[in-house]
Amino acid sequence: MYSMRHLEIMAELPVHDTLGSAASELKISESALSQAITAIERLAGETLCLRRKAHGIRLTASGQHFAAMARKILAEVGELRATFPQTEGALRGPVRFGCFASLSPHLIPATLQGFDHPEVQLDVRVGTHDELLPALRGGEIDVAFVYDLQLPADMDKQPIYQTEMQVVLHPEHPLAKLDRPLELADLVDESLIVYESDPSTQHQMQLFASQGLVPKITASVPQMILVAAMVGRGLGYGLLMRRPNNAEVSIEGRPLAFRELKAPNYPNAVVAITPKGVQIPARVQALIDHCTCAMAESW
């Protein structure tokens, strides 16, 4: 088995013409270097370095290939040492994070902006609970930003911001002109455009069921942006979580009206979730903390 010292020796040889020069750089004697090269060649099963007293040293083609691979391995080991364990100073390494789909347009841009750690490589995945939870358990992502709805017991969570359900209407809808918070009874006979993605859909249905009501569902669509677009054209109303930096227009630029929903409207939160008991790397915690601050500044 090759040792790190073997790799260091082979990585150094291409830039030297003599054993003496290489030995001096490696801080060993010429005889020790010659013995080390012989030991490496014995492991490799072939000649890697031609050593002639009158002509110095020269790597064979196999030796050049070995040296190139050794340099690559040493560079990767150096990066590994710089990343794990995390020490004081610059944060380094990858952070793979997920975000619940309907939340992503509001959370991801604000979180990426101002995350001032240039040696941290961020990778983003957008999806539903059915996609993000298995990715967390399988180690494909480090953290996911989701609503605190029906989360399994094998996840730890950190709060990002508090929220609750609100109603989105066309500004000319009669209910949008009321000065009081809306009640579910006000909405039950109106056309509801449902964002079809559990646990969001189930949460909406539970709100009505808690009052013994059944909503009048006109359409179920897979994107919250589509709910807003349909509401902007007066095709119905929607229910969505209150969120920061929320534009009061649809994607088509049509105005929307947001109204408070009266109880029962259970308080909720956006949370960062990680597998229970897993030690959170400093670079991942830095992203969570930055997200919390970015969201607080976006209201």
Side-chain angles (χ1 to χ4, degrees), residues 1-13 35-37 39-40 43 66 70 74:
M1 181 68 67
Y2 301 112
S3 68
M4 289 295 295
R5 189 55 171 166
H6 289 155
L7 299 181
E8 289 169 353
I9 288 170
M10 290 304 300
E12 185 66 30
L13 288 181
Q35 291 172 12
I37 293 172
I40 295 168
L43 287 170
F66 193 114
L74 289 172

Side-chain angles (χ1 to χ4, degrees), residues 219-243:
S220 296
V221 298
Q223 294 179 323
M224 185 57 72
I225 197 171
L226 184 53
V227 173
M230 294 175 70
V231 171
R233 287 183 173 268
L235 300 176
Y237 74 95
L239 295 172
L240 75 163
M241 293 292 190
R242 187 172 63 91
R243 62 192 68 184

Side-chain angles (χ1 to χ4, degrees), residues 4 7-8 11 66-83 92:
M4 289 295 295
L7 299 181
E8 289 169 353
F66 193 114
M69 291 187 67
R71 287 194 296 270
K72 181 179 178 181
I73 293 170
L74 289 172
E76 290 175 345
V77 170
E79 182 179 350
L80 192 63
R81 285 173 174 167
T83 304
R92 300 181 180 89

Side-chain angles (χ1 to χ4, degrees), residues 44-64:
E46 57 184 288
T47 300
L48 301 175
C49 181
L50 301 176
R51 289 165 278 176
R52 298 188 178 94
K53 289 184 178 180
H55 301 283
I57 59 172
R58 182 169 59 86
L59 294 181
T60 65
S62 294
Q64 292 284 357

Side-chain angles (χ1 to χ4, degrees), residues 3-168:
S3 68
M4 289 295 295
R5 189 55 171 166
H6 289 155
L7 299 181
E8 289 169 353
I9 288 170
M10 290 304 300
E12 185 66 30
L13 288 181
V15 298
H16 296 278
D17 296 324
T18 66
L19 277 180
S21 173
S24 177
E25 185 67 28
L26 290 164
K27 295 180 172 55
I28 57 176
S29 66
E30 285 190 44
S31 61
L33 176 57
S34 182
Q35 291 172 12
I37 293 172
T38 300
I40 295 168
E41 290 176 327
R42 188 178 301 114
L43 287 170
E46 57 184 288
T47 300
L48 301 175
C49 181
L50 301 176
R51 289 165 278 176
R52 298 188 178 94
K53 289 184 178 180
H55 301 283
I57 59 172
R58 182 169 59 86
L59 294 181
T60 65
S62 294
Q64 292 284 357
H65 180 65
F66 193 114
M69 291 187 67
R71 287 194 296 270
K72 181 179 178 181
I73 293 170
L74 289 172
E76 290 175 345
V77 170
E79 182 179 350
L80 192 63
R81 285 173 174 167
T83 304
F84 304 104
Q86 189 65 60
T87 58
E88 292 297 326
L91 299 176
R92 300 181 180 89
V95 175
R96 301 161 298 174
F97 73 96
C99 186
F100 189 65
S102 66
L103 181 61
S104 60
H106 305 272
L107 185 142
I108 291 176
T111 299
L112 293 181
Q113 185 178 27
F115 184 68
D116 190 21
H117 297 285
E119 295 186 71
V120 174
Q121 299 85 48
L122 297 177
D123 182 70
V124 185
R125 178 181 299 191
V126 175
T128 64
H129 276 200
D130 288 343
E131 296 164 330
L132 297 177
L133 292 175
L136 274 172
R137 294 186 180 109
E140 298 171 33
I141 57 177
D142 301 298
V143 60
F145 298 98
V146 298
Y147 289 110
D148 191 5
L149 291 171
Q150 302 174 21
L151 294 176
D154 65 343
M155 293 290 158
D156 287 330
K157 56 189 178 183
Q158 299 181 48
I160 303 298
Y161 67 83
Q162 298 299 310
T163 187
E164 61 184 6
M165 192 72 76
Q166 63 180 356
V167 186
V168 56

